[in-house]
């Protein structure tokens, strides 16, 4: 059995060395393609070659070809390249504020508004995350309340509302991991779920954040759910780039990180799923030296699998080997907890005593940190509730002012209508009086006419002249 394990280990290491040589040649391929770039005759040929240069380059050498792709895509109005590469280059230059502004400027060339807003949202989220890493602790509360105020004021723009909520998640998550953070993270998940799968870069960013949080807090089922969604996004991206004919585009590292985190949440997996995911990690380690270094260095995937299988005797030396390498305190605490469980199960009292001592110290430190965080969370909740109450008060005052203004407008309008009615009544009365006087005048004139007839008789009236008809005309 030991001999078989030794042979497997030697074979895997040999494959690792071979893959490392291939990794070096990938950068050599990128350098060779860059030298040939000037001989390309069309913009489309140049763009496809730049894709290969970008994909084949080491991580530290990707910025230049990435920028060249964006410049060429902007000049030729290649919308697909702009949408695809702005997020990728953003991830590489996130610490360069000038370059980040340049990425935002590139989004103005995206014609589809949904894509433009989503890419812009991705940039601003990455920018906020970077800002949160460097903001002084003394200013964190003030900035948090500023973003909370913006988040409480809907902007009637879906993407802007996501940005406000995402900023809250980022700044709360920078120092807090309590219920308040979970509340905002859950709200953000509801909004993110409405984004189409086409926008994989943004979805992947959120799912990774959520998967790490739920893993850290021991919510295994939710963490696995998030990782399954990440795998779906990665699969879509991989197929998309394969269809585009990009042979150097490799997602092995992202698959491995996702699989490793899923194994960390082994209580939510079946044994068949655990064995299947572990086998995938082993295959990825055979083809990538960076993955092999982690897989055979800390051996976390193996540790998780052995713990799931309850093979405590075999897992103990691996945990002891990994503990000096692990840098993350939360992961170190988890490793110590597993070592305590394994040592107790095999009655290794010496290891149990040593592990318990360090584990208890870490737990005490964690409890103290959680107490401080709980108090800080109460303060933040108080500030948020006060801010919410202030906003509600201002909203009520604004509503009351609007109602008072409307009432004044209605009062003025009613007064105007009343004056108009009075004027109309006056005009109607005046018109009625005028008509009555005209009728009386006509009646009086008729009376006078009859009186004259009675006084002068018919013969006298025949010789009279009606002044309204003018003088009589002479006969010719």
């Amino acid at each position: 059995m030991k001999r078989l394990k030794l042979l497997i280990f030697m074979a895997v290491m040999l494959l690792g060395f071979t893959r490392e040589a291939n990794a070096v040649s990938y950068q050599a391929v990128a350098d060779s393609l860059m030298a040939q770039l000037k001989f390309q005759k069309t913009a489309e040929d140049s763009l496809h070659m730049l894709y290969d240069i970008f994909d084949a380059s080491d991580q530290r050498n990707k910025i230049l070809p990435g920028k060249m792709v964006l410049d060429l895509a902007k000049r030729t109005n290649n919308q697909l390249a702009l949408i695809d590469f702005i997020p990728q280059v953003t991830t590489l230059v996130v610490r360069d504020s000038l370059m980040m502004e340049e990425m935002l400027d590139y989004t103005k060339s995206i014609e589809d508004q949904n894509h433009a807003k989503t890419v812009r949202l991705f940039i601003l989220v990455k920018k906020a995350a970077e800002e949160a890493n460097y903001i002084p602790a003394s200013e964190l509360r003030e900035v948090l309340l500023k973003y909370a105020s913006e988040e409480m004021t809907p902007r009637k723009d879906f993407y802007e509302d996501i940005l406000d909520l995402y900023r809250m998640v980022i700044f709360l998550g920078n120092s807090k991991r309590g219920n308040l953070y979970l509340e905002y993270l859950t709200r953000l998940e509801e909004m993110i779920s409405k984004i189409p799968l086409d926008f994989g870069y943004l979805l992947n960013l959120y799912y990774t954040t959520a998967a790490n949080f739920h893993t850290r807090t021991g919510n295994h089922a939710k963490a696995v759910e998030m990782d399954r969604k990440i795998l779906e996004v990665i699969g879509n991206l991989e197929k998309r780039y394969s269809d585009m004919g990009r042979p150097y585009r490799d997602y092995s590292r992202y698959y491995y990180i996702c699989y490793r985190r899923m194994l960390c949440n082994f209580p939510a997996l079946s044994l068949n799923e655990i064995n299947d995911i572990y086998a995938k990690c082993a295959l990825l380690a055979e083809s990538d030296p960076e993955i092999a270094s982690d897989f055979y260095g800390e051996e976390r995937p193996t540790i998780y699998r052995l713990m799931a299988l309850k093979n405590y005797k075999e897992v103990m030396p691996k945990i002891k080997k990994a503990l000096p390498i692990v840098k993350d305190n939360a992961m170190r605490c988890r490793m110590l907890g597993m070592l305590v469980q394994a040592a107790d199960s095999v009655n290794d009292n010496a290891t149990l005593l040593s592990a318990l001592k360090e584990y208890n110290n870490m737990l005490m430190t964690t409890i103290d940190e959680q107490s401080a965080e709980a108090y800080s969370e109460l303060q933040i909740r108080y500030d948020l509730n006060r801010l919410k109450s202030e906003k509600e008060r201002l909203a009520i005052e604004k509503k009351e002012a609007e109602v008072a203004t409307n009432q004044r407008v209605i009062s003025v309008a009613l007064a105007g209508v009343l004056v108009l009615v009075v004027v109309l009544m006056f005009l109607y009365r005046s018109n009625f009086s005028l008509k009555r006087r005209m009728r009386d005048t006509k009646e009086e004139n008729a009376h006078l006419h009859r009186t004259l007839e009675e006084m002068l008789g018919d013969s006298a009236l025949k010789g009279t002249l009606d002044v309204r008809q003018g003088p009589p005309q002479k006969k010719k």
Side-chain angles (χ1 to χ4, degrees):
M1 184 70 178
K2 290 183 178 179
R3 184 179 179 185
L4 178 60
K5 288 182 179 179
L6 180 61
L7 289 172
I8 293 173
F9 177 75
M10 290 177 65
V12 169
M13 290 303 294
L14 181 60
L15 286 169
F17 290 135
T18 305
R19 178 64 181 86
E20 186 170 5
N22 289 338
V24 174
S25 68
Y26 271 6
Q27 182 58 54
V29 167
D31 294 338
S32 176
L33 291 173
M34 183 65 82
Q36 299 173 35
L37 183 63
K38 59 185 176 182
F39 299 113
Q40 303 307 303
K41 296 181 179 180
T42 66
E44 185 176 354
D45 291 340
S46 298
L47 198 60
H48 283 295
M49 183 166 283
L50 282 169
Y51 285 167
D52 288 341
I53 294 171
F54 180 86
D55 294 340
S57 296
D58 294 339
Q59 198 73 7
R60 64 180 181 274
N61 296 323
K62 286 183 180 291
I63 295 177
L64 176 60
K67 277 283 283 106
M68 292 173 71
V69 168
L70 289 177
D71 290 338
L72 183 56
K74 184 177 179 180
R75 289 200 308 270
T76 59
N77 194 32
N78 190 313
Q79 293 293 305
L80 181 60
L82 285 170
I83 294 168
D84 184 26
F85 269 81
I86 294 174
Q88 293 185 57
V89 179
T90 295
T91 303
L92 298 172
V93 302
V94 69
R95 295 184 179 180
D96 189 329
S97 58
L98 293 178
M99 287 286 286
M100 290 294 281
E101 291 301 320
E102 193 173 344
M103 294 301 107
L104 285 172
D105 189 59
Y106 277 119
T107 62
K108 298 175 183 176
S109 300
I110 300 176
E111 296 171 356
D112 183 273
Q113 286 304 302
N114 285 332
H115 278 289
K117 288 181 178 181
T118 309
V119 174
R120 182 176 180 275
L121 173 61
F122 178 85
I123 297 170
L124 293 176
V125 167
K126 296 289 284 186
K127 188 176 180 181
E130 189 67 16
E131 178 187 354
N133 289 332
Y134 294 99
I135 192 167
S138 58
E139 298 178 16
L140 180 60
R141 193 171 173 182
E142 181 182 349
V143 174
L144 190 61
L145 291 177
K146 171 193 167 188
Y147 287 139
S149 177
E150 293 179 2
E151 192 273 327
M152 291 177 186
T153 308
R155 306 192 192 188
K156 298 181 180 179
D157 185 299
F158 178 70
Y159 297 95
E160 291 294 333
D161 289 341
I162 288 184
L163 176 61
D164 291 336
L165 187 55
Y166 217 133
R167 280 172 172 163
M168 285 296 294
V169 169
I170 288 170
F171 280 88
L172 281 172
N174 191 47
S175 57
K176 307 289 177 293
R177 295 286 175 178
N179 292 329
L180 185 62
Y181 179 82
L182 179 58
E183 290 170 18
Y184 277 92
L185 190 69
T186 303
R187 286 176 54 198
L188 182 59
E189 182 180 353
E190 293 174 1
M191 297 189 74
I192 287 289
S193 64
K194 299 175 183 177
I195 294 178
L197 282 175
D198 293 346
F199 307 132
Y201 43 85
L202 186 60
L203 294 173
N204 195 52
L205 183 63
Y206 168 76
Y207 292 144
T208 301
T209 301
N212 285 331
F213 170 75
H214 291 301
T215 298
R216 184 183 292 268
T217 54
N219 190 355
H220 305 300
K222 192 66 177 179
V224 170
E225 178 189 339
M226 294 296 102
D227 274 317
R228 292 194 194 282
K229 291 184 177 181
I230 292 173
L231 291 174
E232 184 180 0
V233 171
I234 295 174
N236 290 335
L237 290 172
E238 193 172 43
K239 182 180 183 304
R240 173 183 167 190
Y241 291 127
S242 176
D243 293 342
M244 290 175 63
R246 293 173 62 174
Y248 302 106
R249 189 69 179 167
D250 186 15
Y251 281 96
S252 297
R253 178 173 177 270
Y254 303 101
Y255 273 121
Y256 177 75
I257 292 172
C258 194
Y259 290 143
R260 186 182 64 185
R261 187 167 49 234
M262 290 179 76
L263 287 173
C264 182
N265 292 286
F266 62 83
L269 299 171
S270 67
L271 286 179
N272 286 336
E273 288 175 323
I274 291 169
N275 288 327
D276 178 61
I277 294 171
Y278 180 79
K280 290 176 179 177
C281 287
L283 284 173
L284 290 170
E286 290 178 6
S287 60
D288 189 294
E290 184 181 357
I291 295 174
S293 175
D294 180 88
F295 187 80
Y296 295 106
E298 292 185 14
E299 294 191 272
R300 274 194 266 167
T302 304
I303 290 171
Y304 301 142
R305 175 175 171 272
L306 292 174
M307 285 297 297
L309 296 174
K310 297 183 179 181
N311 191 341
Y312 299 123
K313 187 173 183 180
E314 190 175 345
V315 79
M316 284 176 55
K318 295 185 181 299
I319 296 176
K320 291 178 181 179
K321 174 189 171 186
L323 279 171
I325 306 173
V326 175
K327 297 179 181 178
D328 181 75
N329 285 335
M331 183 53 61
R332 183 176 180 81
C333 187
R334 183 177 178 84
M335 287 281 186
L336 284 169
M338 288 190 291
L339 183 58
V340 168
Q341 180 183 348
D344 184 50
S345 298
V346 298
N347 296 318
D348 186 341
N349 293 326
T351 300
L352 178 62
L353 182 62
S354 174
L356 269 176
K357 184 177 180 181
E358 187 176 356
Y359 186 53
N360 286 336
N361 288 337
M362 291 202 74
L363 286 179
M364 290 299 296
T365 302
T366 301
I367 291 171
D368 290 341
E369 290 175 351
Q370 288 176 345
S371 298
E373 285 185 1
Y375 177 72
S376 179
E377 181 177 323
L378 285 175
Q379 287 184 313
I380 292 174
R381 281 188 182 276
Y382 172 78
D383 289 336
L384 292 177
N385 289 334
R386 180 174 54 80
L387 187 63
K388 186 177 181 180
S389 299
E390 181 68 16
K391 279 194 165 291
E392 289 175 351
R393 183 183 66 80
L394 291 174
I396 292 172
E397 289 180 356
K398 181 182 178 182
K399 189 69 176 178
E400 289 176 347
E402 290 175 353
V403 170
T405 301
N406 291 337
Q407 288 177 342
R408 284 195 294 270
V409 170
I410 292 171
S411 299
V412 171
L414 288 175
V417 170
L418 181 61
V419 170
L420 181 61
V421 169
V422 171
V423 170
L424 288 174
M425 290 178 64
F426 176 77
L427 292 174
Y428 177 79
R429 184 178 179 80
S430 298
N431 184 56
F432 178 77
S433 299
L434 180 60
K435 286 183 177 181
R436 189 176 61 180
R437 284 198 299 270
M438 289 178 65
R439 186 177 67 251
D440 292 344
T441 302
K442 285 182 180 181
E443 290 176 356
E444 186 177 355
N445 184 48
H447 179 69
L448 288 173
H449 188 73
R450 286 194 299 273
T451 302
L452 285 173
E453 285 181 348
E454 291 174 358
M455 290 177 61
L456 300 177
D458 292 339
S459 58
L461 287 174
K462 289 178 181 179
T464 60
L465 175 66
D466 188 346
V467 294
R468 291 175 298 178
Q469 296 178 355
Q473 299 293 325
K474 294 181 179 180
K475 293 182 180 180
K476 293 182 180 181

